[in-house]
Coordinates of all heavy atoms in Angstrom, one line a residue:
M1 N 0.8 -1.2 0.0 CA 0.0 0.0 0.0 C 0.9 1.3 0.0 O 2.0 1.2 0.6 CB -0.9 0.0 1.3 CG -2.1 -0.9 1.1 SD -3.3 -0.5 2.3 CE -2.7 -1.6 3.6
K2 N 0.4 2.3 -0.6 CA 1.1 3.6 -0.7 C 0.3 4.6 0.0 O -0.8 4.9 -0.3 CB 1.3 3.9 -2.2 CG 2.1 5.1 -2.4 CD 2.3 5.3 -3.8 CE 3.0 6.7 -4.1 NZ 3.1 7.0 -5.5
P3 N 0.8 5.2 1.1 CA 0.1 6.3 1.8 C 0.0 7.6 1.0 O 0.9 7.9 0.3 CB 0.9 6.5 3.1 CG 2.3 6.1 2.7 CD 2.2 5.0 1.7
V4 N -1.1 8.3 1.2 CA -1.3 9.6 0.5 C -1.6 10.6 1.6 O -2.5 10.4 2.4 CB -2.5 9.5 -0.5 CG1 -2.7 10.9 -1.1 CG2 -2.2 8.5 -1.6
R5 N -0.9 11.7 1.6 CA -1.2 12.7 2.7 C -2.4 13.5 2.4 O -2.6 14.0 1.2 CB 0.0 13.6 2.8 CG 0.0 14.5 4.0 CD 1.2 15.4 4.0 NE 2.4 14.6 4.1 CZ 3.0 14.2 5.2 NH1 2.5 14.6 6.4 NH2 4.1 13.5 5.2
A6 N -3.3 13.7 3.3 CA -4.4 14.5 3.2 C -4.3 15.7 4.3 O -3.7 15.4 5.3 CB -5.7 13.8 3.4
R7 N -4.9 16.8 4.0 CA -4.9 17.9 5.0 C -6.1 17.9 5.9 O -6.3 18.8 6.6 CB -4.7 19.2 4.3 CG -3.5 19.3 3.6 CD -3.3 20.6 2.9 NE -2.1 20.6 2.1 CZ -2.1 21.2 0.9 NH1 -3.0 21.9 0.5 NH2 -1.0 21.2 0.2
W8 N -6.9 16.8 5.8 CA -8.2 16.8 6.6 C -7.9 16.8 8.1 O -7.0 16.0 8.6 CB -9.0 15.6 6.2 CG -9.5 15.7 4.9 CD1 -9.4 16.6 3.9 CD2 -10.4 14.7 4.3 NE1 -10.0 16.3 2.7 CE2 -10.7 15.1 2.9 CE3 -11.0 13.5 4.7 CZ2 -11.5 14.4 2.1 CZ3 -11.8 12.8 3.8 CH2 -12.0 13.3 2.5
N9 N -8.7 17.5 8.8 CA -8.8 17.4 10.3 C -10.0 16.6 10.7 O -10.1 16.3 11.9 CB -8.9 18.8 11.0 CG -7.7 19.7 10.7 OD1 -6.5 19.1 10.7 ND2 -7.9 21.0 10.4
G10 N -10.8 16.3 9.8 CA -12.0 15.5 10.1 C -12.8 15.4 8.8 O -12.3 15.8 7.7
A11 N -13.9 14.7 8.9 CA -14.7 14.6 7.7 C -16.2 14.6 8.1 O -16.6 14.2 9.1 CB -14.5 13.2 7.1
I12 N -17.0 15.3 7.1 CA -18.4 15.3 7.3 C -19.0 14.4 6.2 O -18.6 14.4 5.1 CB -19.0 16.8 7.0 CG1 -18.3 17.8 8.0 CG2 -20.5 16.8 7.1 CD1 -18.7 17.6 9.4
L13 N -19.8 13.5 6.6 CA -20.4 12.5 5.7 C -21.8 12.9 5.4 O -22.6 13.1 6.4 CB -20.4 11.1 6.3 CG -19.0 10.6 6.8 CD1 -19.1 9.2 7.3 CD2 -18.0 10.6 5.7
V14 N -22.2 13.0 4.2 CA -23.5 13.4 3.7 C -24.1 12.4 2.8 O -23.4 11.9 1.9 CB -23.5 14.8 3.0 CG1 -24.8 15.2 2.5 CG2 -22.9 15.9 3.8
C15 N -25.3 11.9 3.1 CA -25.9 10.9 2.2 C -26.1 11.4 0.8 O -26.9 12.4 0.6 CB -27.1 10.3 2.8 SG -28.0 9.2 1.7
G16 N -25.5 10.9 -0.1 CA -25.6 11.3 -1.5 C -27.0 10.9 -2.1 O -27.6 11.6 -3.0
K17 N -27.5 9.8 -1.6 CA -28.8 9.4 -2.2 C -30.0 10.3 -1.7 O -30.8 10.7 -2.5 CB -29.1 7.9 -1.8 CG -30.3 7.3 -2.5 CD -30.4 5.9 -2.2 CE -31.7 5.3 -2.8 NZ -31.9 3.9 -2.4
C18 N -29.9 10.7 -0.4 CA -30.8 11.7 0.2 C -30.7 13.0 -0.7 O -31.8 13.6 -1.1 CB -30.6 12.0 1.6 SG -30.9 10.8 2.8
S19 N -29.5 13.4 -1.0 CA -29.3 14.7 -1.7 C -29.9 14.6 -3.1 O -30.6 15.5 -3.6 CB -27.8 14.9 -1.9 OG -27.2 15.1 -0.6
K20 N -29.8 13.4 -3.7 CA -30.5 13.2 -5.1 C -32.0 13.2 -4.9 O -32.6 13.8 -5.7 CB -30.0 11.9 -5.6 CG -28.7 12.0 -6.4 CD -28.5 10.8 -7.3 CE -27.2 11.0 -7.9 NZ -26.4 9.7 -8.0
K21 N -32.5 12.6 -3.9 CA -34.0 12.6 -3.7 C -34.6 14.0 -3.5 O -35.7 14.2 -4.0 CB -34.3 11.7 -2.5 CG -34.2 10.2 -2.8 CD -34.7 9.5 -1.5 CE -34.6 8.0 -1.6 NZ -35.0 7.4 -0.3
V22 N -33.9 14.8 -2.8 CA -34.4 16.2 -2.6 C -34.1 17.1 -3.7 O -34.4 18.3 -3.6 CB -34.0 16.8 -1.1 CG1 -34.5 15.9 -0.1 CG2 -32.5 17.0 -1.0
K23 N -33.3 16.7 -4.6 CA -33.0 17.5 -5.8 C -32.3 18.8 -5.5 O -32.8 19.9 -5.8 CB -34.2 17.7 -6.7 CG -34.8 16.4 -7.3 CD -36.0 16.6 -8.1 CE -36.5 15.3 -8.6 NZ -37.9 15.1 -8.6
G24 N -31.3 18.7 -4.7 CA -30.6 19.9 -4.3 C -31.1 20.4 -2.9 O -31.0 19.7 -2.0
G25 N -31.7 21.5 -3.0 CA -32.4 22.0 -1.7 C -31.6 23.0 -0.9 O -32.1 23.5 0.1
F26 N -30.3 23.3 -1.2 CA -29.5 24.0 -0.4 C -28.8 25.1 -1.2 O -28.7 25.0 -2.5 CB -28.5 23.2 0.4 CG -29.1 22.2 1.3 CD1 -29.4 20.9 0.8 CD2 -29.5 22.5 2.5 CE1 -30.0 20.0 1.6 CE2 -30.1 21.5 3.4 CZ -30.4 20.3 2.9
G27 N -28.2 26.1 -0.5 CA -27.5 27.2 -1.2 C -28.4 28.1 -1.8 O -29.6 28.1 -1.6
R28 N -27.8 29.2 -2.4 CA -28.7 30.2 -3.1 C -29.6 29.6 -4.1 O -29.1 28.9 -5.0 CB -27.7 31.3 -3.6 CG -28.5 32.6 -4.0 CD -27.6 33.6 -4.6 NE -26.5 33.9 -3.8 CZ -25.4 34.7 -4.2 NH1 -25.4 35.1 -5.4 NH2 -24.5 34.9 -3.4
G29 N -30.8 29.9 -4.1 CA -31.7 29.3 -5.0 C -32.2 27.9 -4.7 O -33.0 27.4 -5.4
G30 N -31.6 27.3 -3.7 CA -32.0 26.0 -3.3 C -31.7 24.9 -4.3 O -32.4 23.9 -4.4
R31 N -30.6 25.1 -5.1 CA -30.4 24.1 -6.2 C -29.2 23.2 -6.0 O -28.9 22.3 -6.8 CB -30.3 24.8 -7.5 CG -31.6 25.6 -7.8 CD -31.5 26.3 -9.1 NE -31.6 25.4 -10.2 CZ -31.5 25.7 -11.4 NH1 -31.4 26.9 -11.8 NH2 -31.6 24.8 -12.3
K32 N -28.4 23.5 -4.9 CA -27.2 22.7 -4.7 C -27.4 21.6 -3.7 O -28.2 21.8 -2.8 CB -26.1 23.6 -4.1 CG -25.5 24.6 -5.2 CD -24.2 25.1 -4.6 CE -23.5 25.9 -5.7 NZ -23.6 27.2 -5.6
P33 N -26.7 20.4 -3.9 CA -26.8 19.4 -2.9 C -26.1 19.9 -1.6 O -25.2 20.8 -1.7 CB -26.1 18.2 -3.5 CG -25.4 18.7 -4.7 CD -26.0 20.1 -5.1
L34 N -26.5 19.3 -0.4 CA -25.9 19.8 0.8 C -24.4 19.8 0.9 O -23.8 20.8 1.3 CB -26.4 18.9 1.9 CG -26.0 19.2 3.4 CD1 -26.3 20.7 3.7 CD2 -26.6 18.3 4.4
A35 N -23.7 18.7 0.4 CA -22.3 18.7 0.5 C -21.6 19.8 -0.3 O -20.7 20.5 0.2 CB -21.8 17.3 -0.1
K36 N -22.1 20.0 -1.5 CA -21.6 21.1 -2.3 C -21.8 22.5 -1.7 O -21.0 23.4 -1.7 CB -22.2 21.1 -3.7 CG -21.4 21.8 -4.8 CD -22.0 21.4 -6.1 CE -21.2 22.1 -7.2 NZ -21.6 21.8 -8.6
A37 N -23.0 22.7 -1.2 CA -23.4 24.0 -0.6 C -22.6 24.3 0.6 O -22.1 25.4 0.9 CB -24.9 24.0 -0.2
L38 N -22.4 23.2 1.5 CA -21.6 23.4 2.7 C -20.1 23.7 2.3 O -19.5 24.6 3.0 CB -21.5 22.1 3.5 CG -22.6 22.0 4.6 CD1 -22.5 20.6 5.3 CD2 -22.5 23.1 5.6
R39 N -19.6 23.0 1.3 CA -18.2 23.3 0.8 C -18.1 24.7 0.4 O -17.1 25.4 0.8 CB -17.9 22.4 -0.3 CG -16.7 21.4 -0.1 CD -16.4 20.6 -1.2 NE -16.8 19.3 -1.0 CZ -17.6 18.6 -1.8 NH1 -18.1 19.1 -3.0 NH2 -18.0 17.3 -1.6
K40 N -19.0 25.2 -0.3 CA -19.0 26.6 -0.8 C -19.2 27.6 0.3 O -18.4 28.5 0.4 CB -20.0 26.8 -1.9 CG -19.9 28.2 -2.4 CD -20.7 28.4 -3.8 CE -20.4 29.8 -4.2 NZ -21.0 30.2 -5.4
H41 N -20.1 27.3 1.2 CA -20.4 28.2 2.3 C -19.3 28.3 3.2 O -19.0 29.4 3.7 CB -21.6 27.6 3.0 CG -22.1 28.6 4.1 ND1 -22.8 29.7 3.9 CD2 -22.0 28.5 5.5 CE1 -23.1 30.3 5.0 NE2 -22.6 29.6 6.0
C42 N -18.6 27.3 3.5 CA -17.4 27.3 4.4 C -16.1 27.4 3.7 O -15.0 27.2 4.3 CB -17.5 26.0 5.3 SG -18.9 25.9 6.3
R43 N -16.1 27.7 2.4 CA -14.9 27.8 1.6 C -13.9 26.7 1.8 O -12.8 26.9 2.2 CB -14.3 29.2 1.9 CG -15.1 30.3 1.5 CD -14.4 31.6 1.8 NE -15.3 32.7 2.0 CZ -15.5 33.3 3.2 NH1 -14.7 33.1 4.2 NH2 -16.4 34.2 3.3
I44 N -14.4 25.5 1.6 CA -13.5 24.3 1.8 C -13.2 23.7 0.4 O -14.1 23.5 -0.4 CB -14.3 23.2 2.6 CG1 -14.5 23.8 4.0 CG2 -13.5 21.9 2.7 CD1 -15.4 22.9 4.9
A45 N -11.9 23.5 0.2 CA -11.5 23.0 -1.1 C -12.0 21.6 -1.3 O -12.2 20.8 -0.3 CB -10.0 23.0 -1.2
K46 N -12.2 21.2 -2.5 CA -12.7 19.8 -2.8 C -11.6 18.8 -2.7 O -10.4 19.1 -2.9 CB -13.3 19.8 -4.2 CG -14.3 18.6 -4.4 CD -15.0 18.7 -5.7 CE -15.9 17.5 -5.9 NZ -16.5 17.4 -7.1
G47 N -11.9 17.6 -2.4 CA -10.9 16.5 -2.3 C -10.0 16.6 -1.1 O -10.3 17.1 0.0
H48 N -8.8 16.1 -1.3 CA -7.8 16.0 -0.2 C -7.2 17.3 0.2 O -6.4 17.5 1.1 CB -6.7 14.9 -0.4 CG -5.8 15.3 -1.6 ND1 -4.6 15.7 -1.3 CD2 -6.0 15.2 -2.9 CE1 -4.0 15.9 -2.5 NE2 -4.8 15.6 -3.5
E49 N -7.4 18.3 -0.6 CA -6.8 19.7 -0.4 C -7.5 20.5 0.7 O -6.8 21.4 1.3 CB -6.8 20.5 -1.7 CG -5.9 19.9 -2.8 CD -4.4 20.0 -2.5 OE1 -4.0 21.0 -1.8 OE2 -3.7 19.1 -2.9
G50 N -8.7 20.2 1.0 CA -9.4 21.0 2.0 C -8.9 20.7 3.4 O -8.3 19.7 3.7
H51 N -9.3 21.5 4.3 CA -8.9 21.2 5.8 C -9.9 20.3 6.4 O -9.5 19.6 7.4 CB -8.8 22.5 6.6 CG -10.1 23.2 6.8 ND1 -10.7 24.0 5.8 CD2 -10.9 23.3 7.8 CE1 -11.8 24.5 6.3 NE2 -12.0 24.1 7.5
V52 N -11.0 20.1 5.8 CA -12.0 19.1 6.2 C -12.5 18.4 5.0 O -12.7 19.1 3.9 CB -13.2 19.8 7.0 CG1 -14.3 18.8 7.3 CG2 -12.7 20.5 8.2
G53 N -12.9 17.2 5.1 CA -13.5 16.5 3.9 C -15.0 16.5 4.1 O -15.5 16.2 5.1
I54 N -15.6 16.9 3.0 CA -17.1 16.8 3.0 C -17.4 15.7 1.9 O -17.2 16.1 0.7 CB -17.8 18.1 2.8 CG1 -17.4 19.1 3.9 CG2 -19.3 17.9 2.7 CD1 -18.1 20.4 3.8
V55 N -17.9 14.6 2.4 CA -18.0 13.4 1.4 C -19.4 12.9 1.3 O -20.1 12.8 2.3 CB -17.0 12.3 2.0 CG1 -17.1 11.1 1.1 CG2 -15.7 12.8 2.2
E56 N -19.8 12.8 0.1 CA -21.1 12.1 -0.2 C -20.9 10.6 -0.1 O -20.0 10.0 -0.6 CB -21.7 12.6 -1.5 CG -22.3 14.0 -1.5 CD -23.2 14.2 -2.6 OE1 -23.1 13.5 -3.6 OE2 -23.9 15.2 -2.6
T57 N -21.8 10.0 0.7 CA -21.8 8.6 0.9 C -23.0 7.9 0.1 O -23.9 8.6 -0.4 CB -21.9 8.2 2.3 OG1 -23.3 8.5 2.7 CG2 -20.9 8.9 3.2
K58 N -23.0 6.6 0.1 CA -24.2 5.8 -0.3 C -25.2 6.0 0.8 O -25.0 6.6 1.8 CB -23.8 4.4 -0.6 CG -22.9 4.3 -1.8 CD -22.7 2.8 -2.1 CE -21.9 2.7 -3.4 NZ -21.7 1.3 -3.8
C59 N -26.4 5.3 0.6 CA -27.4 5.4 1.6 C -27.0 4.9 2.9 O -26.3 3.9 3.1 CB -28.6 4.5 1.1 SG -30.0 4.3 2.2
L60 N -27.4 5.7 4.0 CA -27.0 5.4 5.4 C -28.1 4.6 6.1 O -28.0 4.5 7.3 CB -26.6 6.7 6.1 CG -25.3 7.4 5.5 CD1 -25.2 8.8 6.1 CD2 -24.1 6.6 5.8
D61 N -29.1 4.2 5.4 CA -30.2 3.4 5.9 C -31.1 4.1 7.0 O -31.6 3.5 7.9 CB -29.7 2.1 6.6 CG -29.4 1.1 5.4 OD1 -30.0 1.2 4.4 OD2 -28.7 0.2 5.7
I62 N -31.1 5.5 6.9 CA -32.1 6.2 7.7 C -33.2 6.6 6.8 O -34.4 6.6 7.2 CB -31.4 7.5 8.3 CG1 -30.2 7.1 9.2 CG2 -32.4 8.3 9.1 CD1 -30.5 6.5 10.5
C63 N -32.9 7.2 5.7 CA -33.8 7.5 4.6 C -35.0 8.4 5.0 O -36.2 8.0 5.0 CB -34.3 6.2 3.9 SG -33.1 5.1 3.4
P64 N -34.7 9.6 5.6 CA -35.8 10.5 5.9 C -36.5 11.0 4.7 O -35.9 11.1 3.7 CB -35.1 11.6 6.7 CG -33.7 11.6 6.0 CD -33.4 10.2 5.7
K65 N -37.8 11.2 4.8 CA -38.6 11.7 3.7 C -38.3 13.3 3.5 O -38.4 14.0 4.5 CB -40.0 11.5 3.8 CG -40.5 10.2 3.5 CD -42.0 10.1 3.2 CE -42.2 8.7 2.6 NZ -43.5 8.2 3.0
G66 N -37.9 13.7 2.4 CA -37.6 15.1 2.1 C -36.5 15.7 2.9 O -36.6 16.9 3.2
A67 N -35.5 15.0 3.3 CA -34.4 15.5 4.1 C -33.1 14.8 3.8 O -33.1 13.8 3.1 CB -34.7 15.5 5.6
V68 N -32.0 15.2 4.4 CA -30.7 14.6 4.1 C -30.1 14.3 5.4 O -30.0 15.1 6.3 CB -29.8 15.7 3.3 CG1 -28.4 15.1 3.0 CG2 -30.5 16.1 2.0
V69 N -29.5 13.1 5.5 CA -28.7 12.6 6.6 C -27.3 13.1 6.6 O -26.6 12.9 5.5 CB -28.8 11.1 6.8 CG1 -27.9 10.6 8.0 CG2 -30.2 10.7 6.9
A70 N -26.8 13.7 7.6 CA -25.4 14.1 7.6 C -24.8 13.8 9.1 O -25.5 13.9 10.0 CB -25.3 15.6 7.3
L71 N -23.5 13.6 9.1 CA -22.8 13.4 10.4 C -21.4 13.8 10.3 O -20.8 13.9 9.2 CB -22.9 11.9 10.8 CG -22.2 10.9 10.0 CD1 -21.3 10.0 10.8 CD2 -23.2 10.1 9.1
N72 N -20.8 14.1 11.5 CA -19.4 14.4 11.6 C -18.7 13.1 12.0 O -19.2 12.4 12.9 CB -19.2 15.4 12.8 CG -17.8 15.9 12.8 OD1 -16.9 15.2 12.6 ND2 -17.6 17.2 13.1
S73 N -17.7 12.7 11.3 CA -17.0 11.5 11.5 C -16.4 11.4 12.9 O -16.1 10.3 13.4 CB -15.9 11.2 10.4 OG -14.9 12.2 10.6
A74 N -16.2 12.5 13.6 CA -15.7 12.5 14.9 C -16.8 12.2 16.0 O -16.5 12.0 17.1 CB -15.0 13.8 15.3
Q75 N -18.1 12.3 15.5 CA -19.2 12.0 16.4 C -20.1 11.0 15.7 O -21.3 11.3 15.4 CB -20.0 13.3 16.6 CG -19.2 14.4 17.3 CD -19.9 15.8 17.3 OE1 -20.5 16.1 16.3 NE2 -20.0 16.4 18.4
T76 N -19.6 9.9 15.6 CA -20.4 8.8 14.8 C -21.7 8.4 15.5 O -22.5 7.8 14.9 CB -19.5 7.6 14.5 OG1 -18.9 7.1 15.7 CG2 -18.5 8.0 13.5
G77 N -21.8 8.7 16.8 CA -23.0 8.4 17.5 C -24.1 9.3 17.4 O -25.2 9.1 17.9
L78 N -23.9 10.4 16.7 CA -24.9 11.5 16.5 C -25.1 11.8 15.1 O -24.2 12.5 14.5 CB -24.5 12.7 17.4 CG -25.5 13.8 17.5 CD1 -26.8 13.3 18.2 CD2 -24.9 15.0 18.4
W79 N -26.2 11.4 14.5 CA -26.5 11.7 13.1 C -27.5 12.8 13.0 O -28.3 13.0 13.9 CB -26.9 10.5 12.3 CG -25.8 9.4 12.3 CD1 -24.7 9.3 13.0 CD2 -25.9 8.3 11.4 NE1 -24.1 8.1 12.7 CE2 -24.7 7.5 11.7 CE3 -26.7 7.9 10.3 CZ2 -24.4 6.3 11.0 CZ3 -26.4 6.7 9.7 CH2 -25.3 6.0 10.0
H80 N -27.5 13.6 11.9 CA -28.5 14.7 11.8 C -29.3 14.6 10.5 O -28.8 14.1 9.5 CB -27.7 16.0 11.8 CG -26.9 16.2 13.0 ND1 -27.3 16.7 14.2 CD2 -25.5 16.0 13.2 CE1 -26.3 16.7 15.1 NE2 -25.2 16.3 14.5
I81 N -30.6 14.9 10.7 CA -31.4 15.0 9.6 C -31.7 16.5 9.2 O -32.1 17.3 10.0 CB -32.7 14.3 9.9 CG1 -32.4 12.8 10.1 CG2 -33.8 14.5 8.7 CD1 -33.6 12.0 10.6
V82 N -31.2 16.8 8.0 CA -31.2 18.2 7.6 C -32.2 18.5 6.6 O -32.3 17.9 5.6 CB -29.8 18.6 7.1 CG1 -29.7 20.1 6.7 CG2 -28.7 18.3 8.0
Q83 N -33.1 19.4 6.9 CA -34.2 19.8 6.0 C -33.7 20.7 4.9 O -32.8 21.6 5.2 CB -35.3 20.5 6.7 CG -35.9 19.7 7.9 CD -36.7 18.5 7.4 OE1 -37.3 18.6 6.3 NE2 -36.8 17.5 8.2
P84 N -34.2 20.5 3.7 CA -33.8 21.4 2.6 C -34.1 22.9 3.0 O -35.0 23.1 3.7 CB -34.6 21.0 1.4 CG -35.0 19.6 1.7 CD -35.1 19.5 3.2
G85 N -33.2 23.8 2.6 CA -33.4 25.2 2.9 C -32.8 25.6 4.3 O -33.0 26.8 4.7
A86 N -32.3 24.6 5.0 CA -31.8 24.9 6.4 C -30.7 25.9 6.3 O -30.0 26.0 5.3 CB -31.3 23.6 7.1
D87 N -30.6 26.8 7.3 CA -29.5 27.8 7.4 C -28.1 27.1 7.4 O -27.9 26.3 8.4 CB -29.7 28.7 8.6 CG -28.7 29.7 8.7 OD1 -28.6 30.6 7.9 OD2 -28.0 29.7 9.7
L88 N -27.3 27.4 6.5 CA -26.0 26.6 6.4 C -25.1 27.0 7.6 O -24.3 26.1 8.0 CB -25.3 26.9 5.1 CG -26.1 26.3 3.9 CD1 -25.4 26.7 2.6 CD2 -26.1 24.7 4.0
D89 N -25.2 28.2 8.2 CA -24.4 28.5 9.4 C -24.8 27.5 10.6 O -24.0 27.0 11.2 CB -24.7 29.9 9.8 CG -23.8 30.9 9.1 OD1 -22.6 30.6 8.7 OD2 -24.2 32.1 8.9
E90 N -26.1 27.4 10.7 CA -26.7 26.5 11.7 C -26.3 25.1 11.5 O -25.9 24.3 12.4 CB -28.2 26.7 11.7 CG -28.8 26.1 13.0 CD -30.3 26.4 13.0 OE1 -30.7 27.6 12.7 OE2 -31.1 25.5 13.2
V91 N -26.3 24.6 10.2 CA -26.0 23.2 9.9 C -24.5 23.0 10.2 O -24.1 22.0 10.8 CB -26.2 23.0 8.4 CG1 -25.7 21.6 7.9 CG2 -27.7 23.0 8.0
A92 N -23.6 24.0 9.8 CA -22.2 23.9 10.0 C -21.9 23.8 11.5 O -21.1 23.0 12.0 CB -21.5 25.1 9.4
H93 N -22.6 24.6 12.3 CA -22.4 24.7 13.8 C -22.9 23.3 14.4 O -22.2 22.7 15.2 CB -23.3 25.8 14.4 CG -23.2 25.9 15.9 ND1 -22.1 26.3 16.5 CD2 -24.1 25.5 16.8 CE1 -22.3 26.2 17.8 NE2 -23.5 25.8 18.0
T94 N -24.0 22.8 13.9 CA -24.5 21.6 14.4 C -23.6 20.4 14.1 O -23.4 19.5 15.0 CB -25.9 21.3 13.8 OG1 -26.8 22.4 14.1 CG2 -26.6 20.0 14.3
L95 N -23.0 20.4 12.9 CA -22.0 19.3 12.6 C -20.6 19.6 13.1 O -19.7 18.8 12.8 CB -22.0 19.2 11.0 CG -23.3 18.7 10.4 CD1 -23.2 18.9 8.9 CD2 -23.5 17.2 10.7
N96 N -20.4 20.6 13.9 CA -19.1 21.0 14.4 C -18.1 21.2 13.3 O -16.9 20.8 13.4 CB -18.6 20.0 15.4 CG -19.1 20.1 16.8 OD1 -19.6 21.3 17.2 ND2 -19.2 19.0 17.5
L97 N -18.6 21.8 12.3 CA -17.8 22.1 11.1 C -17.1 23.5 11.2 O -17.9 24.4 11.4 CB -18.6 22.0 9.8 CG -17.9 22.4 8.5 CD1 -16.8 21.4 8.2 CD2 -19.0 22.3 7.3
D98 N -15.8 23.5 11.2 CA -15.1 24.8 11.3 C -15.4 25.6 10.0 O -14.8 25.3 9.0 CB -13.6 24.5 11.5 CG -12.8 25.7 11.7 OD1 -13.4 26.7 12.1 OD2 -11.6 25.7 11.5
C99 N -16.2 26.7 10.2 CA -16.6 27.4 9.1 C -16.3 28.9 9.3 O -16.9 29.5 10.1 CB -18.2 27.2 8.9 SG -18.8 27.8 7.4
P100 N -15.3 29.5 8.5 CA -15.0 30.9 8.7 C -16.1 31.8 8.4 O -16.9 31.6 7.5 CB -13.8 31.1 7.8 CG -13.9 30.0 6.8 CD -14.6 28.9 7.4
K101 N -16.3 32.9 9.2 CA -17.4 33.8 8.9 C -17.0 34.8 7.8 O -15.8 35.2 7.7 CB -17.7 34.6 10.3 CG -18.1 33.7 11.3 CD -19.6 33.4 11.1 CE -20.0 32.3 12.2 NZ -21.3 31.9 12.1
Ligands
LIG1 S1 -31.3 7.7 1.2 FE1 -30.1 8.8 2.6 S2 -30.1 7.5 4.3 FE2 -31.1 6.3 2.9

């Protein structure tokens, strides 16, 4: 195996299937998926270059109707159901995501 250095201090996992089901729902105009909207809102680079990873996963087997499941990998015992249109500052705070103002 060959190691690859990442700059991540942690990771936020967002259900990609939920995101597809709600057809975006976040960001300006409500058209961006949660992972992308959070990345933009908190100015986090995509991939291994960012200080935190925001990763879309497969179905997490919660499957809320009209919402998206997200969690901080440092708090795997606490998952969050995020409604479309939720305030991204509040979402970042809830997920303990370091988001510059
Ligand atoms: S579709 Fe997102 S948890 Fe199942």
Side-chain angles (χ1 to χ4, degrees):
M1 279 194 272
K2 184 177 172 185
V4 176
R5 187 180 303 270
R7 297 186 185 140
W8 292 3
N9 296 321
I12 302 295
L13 308 181
V14 177
C15 175
K17 190 172 176 185
C18 286
S19 296
K20 271 195 186 139
K21 282 183 181 175
V22 298
K23 296 179 179 140
F26 298 91
R28 196 183 301 168
R31 302 181 70 180
K32 285 194 169 104
L34 179 59
K36 196 170 185 177
L38 267 179
R39 241 183 254 124
K40 182 166 185 179
H41 185 75
C42 296
R43 296 184 206 114
I44 296 170
K46 198 173 180 186
H48 67 102
E49 292 293 326
H51 66 283
V52 174
I54 299 182
V55 181
E56 282 196 343
T57 67
K58 291 186 174 183
C59 176
L60 295 167
D61 281 339
I62 302 287
C63 309
K65 278 201 171 144
V68 179
V69 177
L71 65 130
N72 186 324
S73 65
Q75 299 171 311
T76 53
L78 189 59
W79 297 17
H80 303 278
I81 294 173
V82 184
Q83 299 293 329
D87 180 63
L88 291 175
D89 277 330
E90 199 174 308
V91 174
H93 179 73
T94 303
L95 291 168
N96 278 335
L97 176 61
D98 184 22
C99 192
K101 298 281 173 184

